[in-house]
Amino acid sequence: MKDMAQELIEVAAEACKHSYSPYSDFPVGAAVLTESGEIYAGTNIENASYGATMCAERVAVYKAVSEGHRRIQAIAVYATAADYAFPCGMCLQVLSEFAGDIPVLIAGKAGVKRYTLYQLLPHPFDKK
Ligand code: THU
């Protein structure tokens, strides 16, 4: 059976092909693995207003949540325009709403690096 990390990266890479990024020319793909084993993909979708642009990671998370999956057990992010494209702070915060200290796989033109969510965002905002 194919390694789950590899599978997630491949799904993120496939999603990256659908990127709508005419303004930045920086395509990104993401894939989240839900607690129950489904994979949801996302890509970045830009807008002429710039501010309405949505990152690939949040598209993937919001797709999962809107289909009823509120717990995420891993995420892969794929971009070829950088050595490693790390998720932005807003995406990390959104992920922290639906995940604990999960694996975050970053695939770029320099290879694949593996982190955990809390390595990238040690102190997520939480009112508790
Ligand atoms: N982008 C993502 O998709 N994920 C991130 O975590 C950071 C940035 C996108 C947004 C925009 O379309 C492009 O990358 C350049 O900033």
Side-chain angles (χ1 to χ4, degrees):
M1 206 182 90
K2 201 191 292 173
D3 174 50
M4 182 48 79
Q6 188 55 37
E7 167 84 16
L8 268 188
I9 291 166
E10 285 176 20
V11 173
E14 193 58 32
C16 191
K17 294 180 189 165
H18 303 300
S19 170
Y20 179 71
S21 44
Y23 304 104
S24 71
D25 200 23
F26 194 90
V28 184
V32 296
L33 176 66
T34 68
E35 201 167 61
S36 46
E38 290 87 354
I39 294 176
Y40 286 88
T43 194
N44 55 332
I45 304 170
E46 299 187 343
N47 187 270
S49 71
Y50 288 33
T53 290
M54 182 56 64
C55 293
E57 298 91 321
R58 274 177 290 157
V59 171
V61 170
Y62 292 157
K63 279 172 68 180
V65 172
S66 60
E67 296 294 326
H69 303 282
R70 293 187 178 175
R71 295 309 297 169
I72 288 164
Q73 55 166 314
I75 182 167
V77 183
Y78 178 95
T80 51
D83 282 354
Y84 298 102
F86 288 87
C88 75
M90 213 182 294
C91 287
L92 293 170
Q93 177 65 33
V94 166
L95 259 175
S96 77
E97 186 76 27
F98 303 106
D101 196 18
I102 59 167
V104 180
L105 306 159
I106 315 276
K109 65 180 176 203
V112 179
K113 283 191 179 193
R114 190 186 173 110
Y115 296 86
T116 71
L117 182 55
Y118 295 163
Q119 282 178 315
L120 300 178
L121 185 69
H123 302 287
F125 175 73
D126 193 327
K127 280 189 286 181
K128 279 178 277 186

Short mmCIF file of all heavy atoms in Angstrom, two decimals, residues 10 17 28-29 31 40 49-50 54 60 70 81 83 99 106 108 121:
data_model
loop_
_atom_site.label_atom_id
_atom_site.label_comp_id
_atom_site.label_asym_id
_atom_site.label_seq_id
_atom_site.Cartn_x
_atom_site.Cartn_y
_atom_site.Cartn_z
N GLU A 10 0.81 13.69 -3.26
CA GLU A 10 0.36 13.54 -4.66
C GLU A 10 -0.98 14.22 -4.91
O GLU A 10 -1.20 14.85 -5.94
CB GLU A 10 0.30 12.06 -5.03
CG GLU A 10 1.68 11.47 -5.25
CD GLU A 10 1.68 9.98 -5.53
OE1 GLU A 10 0.63 9.44 -5.93
OE2 GLU A 10 2.75 9.36 -5.33
N LYS A 17 -2.32 21.84 -9.81
CA LYS A 17 -2.53 22.05 -11.26
C LYS A 17 -3.77 22.91 -11.53
O LYS A 17 -3.91 23.48 -12.60
CB LYS A 17 -2.70 20.70 -11.97
CG LYS A 17 -1.46 19.82 -11.97
CD LYS A 17 -1.76 18.52 -12.71
CE LYS A 17 -0.63 17.53 -12.55
NZ LYS A 17 -1.02 16.16 -12.94
N VAL A 28 -0.22 26.88 -5.56
CA VAL A 28 -0.09 26.07 -4.34
C VAL A 28 -1.20 25.02 -4.34
O VAL A 28 -2.32 25.29 -4.78
CB VAL A 28 -0.22 26.94 -3.06
CG1 VAL A 28 0.02 26.10 -1.80
CG2 VAL A 28 0.75 28.12 -3.10
N GLY A 29 -0.87 23.84 -3.85
CA GLY A 29 -1.89 22.81 -3.65
C GLY A 29 -1.81 22.31 -2.22
O GLY A 29 -0.75 22.37 -1.60
N ALA A 31 -3.61 19.23 0.66
CA ALA A 31 -4.51 18.10 0.87
C ALA A 31 -4.57 17.81 2.36
O ALA A 31 -3.53 17.78 3.04
CB ALA A 31 -4.02 16.86 0.13
N TYR A 40 -9.30 15.65 1.39
CA TYR A 40 -9.86 16.81 0.67
C TYR A 40 -8.71 17.66 0.16
O TYR A 40 -7.76 17.94 0.91
CB TYR A 40 -10.76 17.64 1.60
CG TYR A 40 -12.08 16.96 1.86
CD1 TYR A 40 -12.21 16.05 2.91
CD2 TYR A 40 -13.17 17.18 1.03
CE1 TYR A 40 -13.41 15.39 3.13
CE2 TYR A 40 -14.37 16.52 1.25
CZ TYR A 40 -14.48 15.63 2.30
OH TYR A 40 -15.66 14.97 2.50
N SER A 49 -9.08 41.72 -6.74
CA SER A 49 -9.01 42.62 -5.58
C SER A 49 -7.81 42.29 -4.69
O SER A 49 -7.56 43.00 -3.72
CB SER A 49 -10.28 42.49 -4.74
OG SER A 49 -10.29 41.24 -4.08
N TYR A 50 -7.14 41.22 -4.96
CA TYR A 50 -6.02 40.68 -4.16
C TYR A 50 -6.51 40.20 -2.78
O TYR A 50 -6.25 39.09 -2.37
CB TYR A 50 -4.88 41.69 -3.98
CG TYR A 50 -4.05 41.93 -5.24
CD1 TYR A 50 -4.63 41.87 -6.50
CD2 TYR A 50 -2.70 42.24 -5.15
CE1 TYR A 50 -3.88 42.09 -7.64
CE2 TYR A 50 -1.93 42.47 -6.29
CZ TYR A 50 -2.54 42.39 -7.54
OH TYR A 50 -1.79 42.62 -8.67
N MET A 54 -7.79 33.36 -1.66
CA MET A 54 -7.85 32.32 -0.62
C MET A 54 -6.71 31.33 -0.83
O MET A 54 -6.45 30.90 -1.95
CB MET A 54 -9.20 31.60 -0.70
CG MET A 54 -9.42 30.53 0.34
SD MET A 54 -9.23 31.07 2.07
CE MET A 54 -10.57 32.24 2.21
N ALA A 60 -8.79 23.65 1.33
CA ALA A 60 -8.87 22.21 1.67
C ALA A 60 -9.57 22.00 3.02
O ALA A 60 -10.45 21.14 3.15
CB ALA A 60 -7.47 21.61 1.70
N ARG A 70 -14.71 17.56 10.92
CA ARG A 70 -14.16 18.63 11.77
C ARG A 70 -12.83 18.29 12.41
O ARG A 70 -12.29 19.11 13.16
CB ARG A 70 -15.17 18.99 12.86
CG ARG A 70 -16.42 19.61 12.29
CD ARG A 70 -17.31 20.10 13.38
NE ARG A 70 -18.49 20.73 12.81
CZ ARG A 70 -19.50 21.19 13.52
NH1 ARG A 70 -19.49 21.08 14.83
NH2 ARG A 70 -20.53 21.76 12.92
N ALA A 81 7.15 26.71 -6.92
CA ALA A 81 7.80 28.00 -7.18
C ALA A 81 8.78 28.38 -6.07
O ALA A 81 9.46 29.40 -6.17
CB ALA A 81 6.74 29.08 -7.36
N ASP A 83 11.53 26.73 -2.75
CA ASP A 83 12.15 25.53 -2.19
C ASP A 83 11.16 24.83 -1.27
O ASP A 83 10.94 23.63 -1.38
CB ASP A 83 13.41 25.92 -1.37
CG ASP A 83 14.58 26.21 -2.29
OD1 ASP A 83 14.45 26.00 -3.51
OD2 ASP A 83 15.62 26.67 -1.77
N ALA A 99 -7.50 20.74 14.38
CA ALA A 99 -6.43 19.75 14.50
C ALA A 99 -5.61 20.01 15.74
O ALA A 99 -5.53 21.14 16.23
CB ALA A 99 -5.52 19.83 13.27
N ILE A 106 5.61 19.54 3.91
CA ILE A 106 5.83 20.66 2.99
C ILE A 106 6.65 20.15 1.81
O ILE A 106 7.81 19.75 1.98
CB ILE A 106 6.64 21.79 3.68
CG1 ILE A 106 6.12 22.08 5.09
CG2 ILE A 106 6.71 23.03 2.80
CD1 ILE A 106 4.97 23.00 5.16
N GLY A 108 8.27 21.01 -1.82
CA GLY A 108 8.65 22.09 -2.74
C GLY A 108 9.72 21.61 -3.69
O GLY A 108 10.02 20.41 -3.72
N LEU A 121 3.37 26.72 14.53
CA LEU A 121 2.52 27.68 15.27
C LEU A 121 2.46 27.22 16.73
O LEU A 121 1.52 26.56 17.14
CB LEU A 121 1.11 27.72 14.66
CG LEU A 121 0.17 28.77 15.25
CD1 LEU A 121 0.59 30.18 14.88
CD2 LEU A 121 -1.27 28.54 14.78
#
